[in-house]
Amino acid sequence: MPYSSSELDFLLSHPEAVEAAQQYPLTKKSELADLTALRKQYGENARALVELVRARALARKKIHGGDAWMLDGPSAQQATPGVVADVRAAHLREFGVQRVTDVTCSVGTELAAMQRAGIDALGSDLDQIRLRMARENVPEVPVVRADALQPVTREGVVIADPARRGTSGRIHRIDQLMPPLPELVEAYRGRELAVKCAPGIDFADVVEWAGQIDIVSVDGDVKEACVYTPGLAKVGRRAVLLRGDRTLVVTDAQPDDIPEKPLGDFVFDVDGAIVRAGLVRHVAHQHGLWQLDPRIAYLTGDSVPDGETGLRAFVVHQQVPLKQLKSALQGVNAGAVEILVRGVDVDPDQLRKKLKLRGSESWSVMITRVGISATAIVCQPVMREKL
């Protein structure tokens, strides 16, 4: 829950209270007792202390130095992970960008990334509380209060992150984002833009002004799409996969011709960034693989590629019609089963309950559509995903 102005005043002026609050575990079991103890000492400001401690716990996992940042729960949830912001900063630096204005800067995560990359930055936002927090988090970067649709400077690249969630839930139409994406693009016509969007964005919605679209995943979890105007484009689409200190980039500049062949000795689940960027065939070509079905983002082949691939590999044991899956799993003494599904209306949790397996072995199952038929591939993972 956001802070009031007086709560933020208290947090900024009482670092000793923040340090004391951070000593409390604040687990589900201890929450009531912890909050009661904090209220005895800090009165009505106890809520803000708890909010900050919890927000920092979340920020610690996604923002460089986040355990010392000033932020609240919503801003921590919405903040771009530091490693993702660093990808954008590095891309802009490759184009020689020297100045950036983040017109939806919130608490400053994007500004911090630009600062790390040596790019001059200016931040703006309408939320005065978040601006105050941004000034604490990135004190060297100037921030001003302004509407995202009202340019505060005519210089540099514009970064924007229109809000994708409103009071009624997630927003799916680009003209209902806050600010609306068409209005944002029009407000900065003639300027280079980098606009953060939902990973599932329909590319057709931005085709008129987009030059490059990046889809970025972190440890297999797709985080965002970023749409760049043509002056910031090297390719049309790019999947950027981040795993620890490793990065894999797949682009549509790579070939995508692949053979049509039957099921091979191995099947592969593809990282979501590659799937959403529409680059499954490009990865298949690169590694000598092919698709189980041209509409489905599962790949197959006769060997496991070396190196960082964006693929998770499984060795094939048996392929059966979906209705024969239970007997096939019973035949291999299956107990624990990982179920992966694409292209078939199957809920893995419900199916697992229906299977009622009693075995002792662990197996994986890929359920998908090949042609017009639903099929199940009983398999086992042969390696952890390298990238």
Side-chain angles (χ1 to χ4, degrees):
M1 179 177 174
Y3 305 122
S4 67
S5 181
S6 61
E7 286 177 327
L8 185 55
D9 288 341
F10 174 82
L11 294 174
L12 294 175
S13 60
H14 291 79
E16 77 288 347
V18 174
E19 184 176 353
Q22 290 181 153
Q23 307 310 309
Y24 287 86
L26 293 173
T27 62
K28 287 185 178 180
K29 278 189 174 182
S30 71
E31 179 179 359
L32 182 58
D34 293 342
L35 184 55
T36 300
L38 286 168
R39 278 178 177 158
K40 285 182 179 179
Q41 192 166 5
Y42 302 108
E44 61 185 10
N45 291 304
R47 187 209 72 84
L49 289 167
V50 171
E51 181 81 9
L52 178 57
V53 171
R54 287 179 170 160
R56 284 182 171 178
L58 175 59
R60 190 179 301 121
K61 302 173 184 178
K62 60 190 298 192
I63 301 173
H64 302 304
D67 53 356
W69 272 49
M70 189 60 62
L71 67 181
D72 54 24
S75 60
Q77 288 280 355
Q78 297 161 10
T80 300
V83 291
V84 177
D86 287 342
V87 167
R88 188 166 16 263
H91 181 74
L92 297 179
R93 189 174 55 192
E94 286 184 37
F95 279 87
V97 173
Q98 297 180 344
R99 186 167 181 79
V100 159
T101 301
D102 182 355
V103 298
T104 52
C105 73
S106 186
V107 297
T109 50
E110 206 75 40
L111 301 177
M114 296 302 148
Q115 189 178 48
R116 288 191 295 272
I119 298 173
D120 289 338
L122 169 67
S124 67
D125 204 292
L126 273 176
D127 190 318
Q128 187 63 51
I129 297 296
R130 290 195 177 184
L131 284 175
R132 290 180 64 191
M133 292 192 285
R135 291 188 183 103
E136 291 293 318
N137 297 330
V138 281
E140 302 88 355
V141 178
V143 296
V144 297
R145 189 170 188 270
D147 188 309
L149 297 178
Q150 299 296 322
V152 295
T153 176
R154 297 185 181 278
E155 300 177 359
V157 169
V158 174
I159 294 176
D161 186 7
R164 300 188 287 273
R165 186 176 291 276
T167 54
S168 59
R170 188 170 295 279
I171 299 171
H172 298 285
R173 290 177 47 177
I174 63 170
D175 60 346
Q176 295 178 351
L177 298 173
M178 297 176 285
L181 188 50
E183 293 182 30
L184 182 73
V185 173
E186 183 60 33
Y188 295 98
R189 188 168 296 279
R191 302 268 299 271
E192 299 297 349
L193 291 172
V195 183
K196 294 179 276 184
C197 300
I201 186 173
D202 186 340
F203 296 165
D205 287 341
V206 296
V207 68
E208 291 184 1
W209 61 273
Q212 175 175 316
I213 301 175
D214 279 4
I215 308 292
V216 185
S217 68
V218 179
D219 297 328
D221 185 13
V222 181
K223 294 297 184 181
E224 72 168 31
C226 184
V227 186
Y228 296 97
T229 45
L232 298 173
K234 295 190 293 185
V235 294
R237 283 168 285 124
R238 190 171 72 151
V240 182
L241 285 57
L242 306 174
R243 301 289 186 279
D245 60 354
R246 298 170 297 160
T247 301
L248 174 67
V249 178
V250 181
T251 79
D252 62 355
Q254 300 167 228
D256 68 348
D257 53 304
I258 56 176
E260 293 184 12
K261 297 170 65 174
L263 179 67
D265 295 331
F266 299 89
V267 287
F268 303 88
D269 189 25
V270 185
D271 185 280
I274 295 172
V275 175
R276 296 190 188 188
L279 301 174
V280 173
R281 292 177 62 89
H282 301 74
V283 169
H285 173 95
Q286 181 180 357
H287 299 294
L289 308 175
W290 55 95
Q291 291 178 279
L292 286 166
D293 182 281
R295 301 162 297 176
I296 304 295
Y298 285 142
L299 299 177
T300 186
D302 294 325
S303 62
V304 177
D306 292 329
E308 299 170 346
T309 62
L311 308 173
R312 186 177 175 213
F314 300 79
V315 61
V316 174
H317 173 75
Q318 185 181 10
Q319 180 181 14
V320 297
L322 182 56
K323 61 184 178 182
Q324 296 178 19
L325 176 59
K326 183 173 182 177
S327 60
L329 289 171
Q330 289 174 336
V332 293
N333 193 32
V337 179
E338 173 189 23
I339 301 175
L340 306 175
V341 180
R342 286 192 190 276
V344 179
D345 187 15
V346 170
D347 182 292
D349 292 332
Q350 291 183 6
L351 175 60
R352 193 176 288 106
K353 291 177 182 178
K354 290 180 181 179
L355 291 173
K356 298 179 180 178
L357 299 172
R358 304 268 194 270
S360 58
E361 300 295 326
S362 295
W363 286 82
S364 296
V365 177
M366 280 188 172
I367 297 174
T368 188
R369 185 167 297 281
V370 178
I372 61 172
S373 303
T375 189
I377 300 170
V378 180
C379 52
Q380 286 190 315
V382 295
M383 65 176 183
R384 285 188 174 275
E385 183 180 355
K386 292 182 178 179
L387 250 185

